[in-house]
Amino acid sequence: MGVYCGSRCRGRCAKAGFQDRCLKYCGICCRQCKCVPSGTFGNKHQCPCYRDKLSSKGKPKCP
């Protein structure tokens, strides 16, 4: 995870119940989308790619 993704994902996952999982998926999404929404929750309109990624089960992939 690059410096940008690392720092953005640490902020995004600061209040997550499952830090490791949050950081893992945030990192994947950040590398693919080149952005992470601000704050610890919501604000996904800031990054449509991040918002629209879905897991294999059809649920939102990015925290």
Side-chain angles (χ1 to χ4, degrees), residues 1-61:
M1 201 177 332
V3 174
Y4 171 80
C5 288
S7 63
R8 296 292 297 202
C9 286
R10 277 192 296 280
R12 184 78 180 165
C13 295
K15 295 182 180 177
F18 296 96
Q19 290 272 319
D20 292 345
R21 188 168 29 174
C22 182
L23 289 168
K24 174 185 173 185
Y25 287 106
C26 180
I28 291 168
C29 294
C30 179
R31 281 192 299 278
Q32 292 175 352
C33 295
K34 309 283 190 269
C35 67
V36 175
S38 62
T40 56
F41 186 79
N43 298 322
K44 289 187 176 183
H45 64 280
Q46 296 171 351
C47 186
C49 168
Y50 189 99
R51 176 193 66 210
D52 297 339
K53 283 217 167 300
L54 299 176
S55 70
S56 58
K57 294 178 182 156
K59 301 212 181 247
K61 179 173 189 149

